[in-house]
Amino acid sequence: QVQLVDSGGGSQQAGGSLRLSCAASGDGIRSYCLGWFRQAPGKEREGVAIIYTYSTTTAYTESVKGRFTISRDDSKNTLYLQMNSLEPEDTAMYYCAAALWCENNNWPKGNNFIFWGQGTQVTVSS
């Protein structure tokens, strides 16, 4: 099992940057498929990015491609989400999550992610 703690959220103006962190305890994170998800008020949860098990292969939702970067530091057992060129539409609660495997096509739904962080709020103003 793994326990996840999100941090790094805050308020930024459009065009700014934030880096989210997800510190893991328990199992090593490289043995999990790791992802970032977000949920805005009144909207469904949305998959943002994933990084595959024992790999540096990543996948992103279309709206963040070229702006966000997911990465993993195995030595620190920590997952990151670097968010650049932030837009007001990025405003949401962001959650990190872990799954035993990555689903190639359905990962944005997050249905197979079994461990979740508590969330960190990101607010982007125009």
Side-chain angles (χ1 to χ4, degrees):
Q1 289 196 347
V2 64
Q3 293 78 42
L4 305 173
V5 178
D6 309 316
S7 64
S11 297
Q12 274 287 346
Q13 290 191 327
S17 298
L18 283 172
R19 188 177 79 156
L20 305 184
S21 299
C22 176
S25 59
D27 293 342
I29 59 172
R30 66 195 301 261
S31 64
Y32 290 91
C33 171
L34 301 169
W36 287 98
F37 295 80
R38 65 187 180 186
Q39 188 167 20
K43 294 188 176 181
E44 292 187 355
R45 184 181 65 198
E46 174 189 29
V48 176
I50 58 169
I51 185 165
Y52 280 69
T53 311
Y54 294 110
S55 174
T56 56
T57 301
T58 58
Y60 297 88
T61 192
E62 193 64 34
S63 63
V64 308
K65 285 182 180 178
R67 301 189 298 122
F68 290 10
T69 302
I70 188 172
S71 63
R72 186 186 67 226
D73 187 330
D74 294 337
S75 68
K76 296 182 179 179
N77 224 28
T78 301
L79 176 72
Y80 300 100
L81 184 69
Q82 178 66 44
M83 304 186 296
N84 299 328
S85 301
L86 284 164
E87 302 171 352
E89 293 75 21
D90 296 319
T91 295
M93 185 72 79
Y94 283 71
Y95 301 88
C96 65
L100 298 181
W101 69 90
C102 287
E103 292 185 311
N104 287 336
N105 296 319
N106 293 325
W107 67 266
K109 296 180 180 179
N111 291 336
N112 70 318
F113 284 80
I114 56 177
F115 302 109
W116 292 83
Q118 83 286 359
T120 185
Q121 178 67 38
V122 172
T123 303
V124 183
S125 58
S126 58

